[in-house]
Amino acid sequence: MKIDRTDYARNLGYQGQKRVIVQDSIVISHNNMEWHVFCASVTDHNREENKLPKSA
């Protein structure tokens, strides 16, 4: 069963234009990446963008 997880991914920080479609824990819309790896990469990328610069 294919499930659209775009809204959940956006809550994690996903900013892409493509829908996030998952089937059997594989993100078939993004190069067949495993779902937990996709979520971790989106979350890590979001953390990097939101880091504050270190004070001098």
Side-chain angles (χ1 to χ4, degrees), residues 4-56:
D4 187 334
R5 294 289 186 198
T6 307
D7 290 335
Y8 182 81
R10 287 200 173 118
N11 285 334
L12 294 177
Y14 174 68
Q15 297 176 356
Q17 297 297 317
K18 288 176 66 174
R19 304 299 291 173
V20 179
I21 307 298
V22 179
Q23 181 176 13
D24 297 327
S25 299
I26 302 294
V27 185
I28 60 174
S29 58
H30 290 76
N31 298 321
N32 294 325
M33 185 181 292
E34 291 183 23
W35 173 241
H36 70 277
V37 173
F38 178 84
C39 291
S41 67
V42 168
T43 303
D44 290 345
H45 180 74
N46 193 38
R47 265 191 219 128
E48 289 295 319
E49 284 186 351
N50 291 326
K51 277 188 178 176
L52 296 174
K54 292 182 180 178
S55 56

